Amino acid sequence: MKGGTPFLESGMTGINKPKLVPKGDGVRQFIAATPAGQETLPELLTTALSELCKEKPAGLDAVKRLGEWLLANNPNQPQVQEPDEP
């Protein structure tokens, strides 16, 4: 990732090096490479926005519905498998 500036630094031992806040083209590269389950973040957001367009909520309800969809379809959420009943 190119570009960016450190946003947190520490001189303490055991503290990881600071992460960079991407700027310019680095932002596009970062977002395009961010995984969201088996997809990338842009692919997941495209699906989410397509679903939102089908419902056509208005105003702040659109933001609420998008948030609810993202929570319900979070690919990084742990999956719980129920044991088979004997």
Side-chain angles (χ1 to χ4, degrees):
M1 174 172 37
K2 292 183 179 181
T5 56
F7 66 91
L8 178 64
E9 294 186 39
S10 175
M12 297 175 64
T13 57
I15 302 294
N16 294 336
K17 289 184 176 183
K19 294 183 179 183
L20 295 178
V21 177
K23 292 183 180 178
D25 202 40
V27 174
R28 280 186 218 89
Q29 292 173 2
F30 176 78
I31 291 174
T34 300
Q38 299 297 317
E39 302 175 296
T40 62
L41 183 57
E43 293 168 335
L44 177 69
L45 291 175
T46 299
T47 303
L49 292 171
S50 295
E51 292 297 319
L52 189 66
C53 287
K54 292 176 186 176
E55 294 181 28
K56 298 182 183 180
L60 290 178
D61 193 40
V63 177
K64 180 180 175 186
R65 293 295 304 134
L66 178 61
E68 289 171 349
W69 190 94
L70 289 169
L71 287 172
N73 295 280
N74 180 355
N76 296 326
Q77 185 173 346
Q79 301 295 316
V80 177
Q81 290 185 338
E82 298 290 334
D84 294 332
E85 293 190 31

